[in-house]
Amino acid sequence: MATVAGITVNGDHWIGGERVSSPTTFDDHSPIDGALIAQIARGTATEADAAVTAAANAFPAWAATPRAERARLLHAIADGVEARLNDLAIVETTDNGALLRSHLRGVMPRVAHNFRFFADWLLKLGHEDFDTRGHTNHV
């Protein structure tokens, strides 16, 4: 666990609904001032295999989840991003050195937007392919 501007950050993996550590870690330094932000779990083949297995095990239940429920869950994630927008922006700025205003005004709102975008399209399954800003989307 680390603290970035008063915000607790966990550097372990998230696999199968729980935190998983690794036998080794790496130091994450801020490009802003070189300060140590956190020790991050360095994944090995064991953690990669566990993550793939967890995803494969979770897929049948997710695939069986009705579209409306999936959309509701994706909107809930977007709500969570918006509720923690300032904290997320501060941590990301510290971690990658980008301007805080960029994360506050663009990056983090876009994260929430992306979850909402795909949640809303879940409810329109069967729609023909469509273009968005030069990219073809398949639903």
Side-chain angles (χ1 to χ4, degrees), residues 44-123:
T44 65
T46 300
E47 289 82 37
D49 287 345
V52 169
T53 299
N57 290 341
F59 183 75
W62 180 251
T65 302
R67 287 180 288 161
E69 177 63 7
R70 286 193 233 172
R72 185 193 69 74
L73 292 168
L74 293 175
H75 275 289
I77 293 169
D79 292 344
V81 168
E82 289 170 346
R84 300 283 312 267
L85 191 133
N86 287 333
D87 289 350
L88 292 167
I90 289 167
V91 170
E92 282 301 301
T93 294
T94 303
D95 186 50
N96 69 28
L99 295 174
L100 179 60
R101 73 174 171 252
S102 174
H103 281 104
L104 288 171
R105 296 178 187 165
V107 175
M108 291 304 138
R110 179 59 192 227
V111 169
H113 168 80
N114 286 348
F115 278 101
R116 291 192 195 291
F117 176 87
F118 289 107
D120 292 343
W121 275 104
L122 264 172
L123 302 177

Side-chain angles (χ1 to χ4, degrees), residues 3-21:
T3 303
V4 178
I7 302 157
T8 302
V9 178
N10 190 319
D12 286 340
H13 304 290
W14 184 257
I15 301 172
E18 57 188 48
R19 290 291 178 184
V20 177
S21 62

